[in-house]
């Protein structure tokens, strides 16, 4: 069971990092291509 947790934790963190990376990329993409009025 310990080995499963050993593999699961880095994968979970990696997915979390990728999600935030993607989220910020989308935000920047929209900010650059669709500038707001303010």
């Amino acid at each position: 069971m310990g080995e499963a947790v050993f593999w699961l934790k880095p994968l979970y963190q990696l997915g979390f990092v990728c999600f935030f990376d993607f989220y910020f990329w989308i935000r920047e993409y929209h900010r650059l291509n669709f500038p707001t009025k303010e």
Side-chain angles (χ1 to χ4, degrees), residues 22-34:
F22 187 69
Y23 176 77
F24 280 110
W25 182 82
I26 289 289
R27 250 178 48 161
E28 284 299 299
Y29 183 81
H30 270 269
R31 193 172 63 82
L32 291 170
N33 289 286
F34 310 100

Side-chain angles (χ1 to χ4, degrees), residues 4-34:
V5 176
F6 177 76
W7 281 106
L8 215 66
K9 207 176 177 187
L11 281 175
Y12 179 77
Q13 289 175 332
L14 189 71
F16 211 68
V17 168
C18 284
F19 174 76
F20 270 98
D21 196 48
F22 187 69
Y23 176 77
F24 280 110
W25 182 82
I26 289 289
R27 250 178 48 161
E28 284 299 299
Y29 183 81
H30 270 269
R31 193 172 63 82
L32 291 170
N33 289 286
F34 310 100

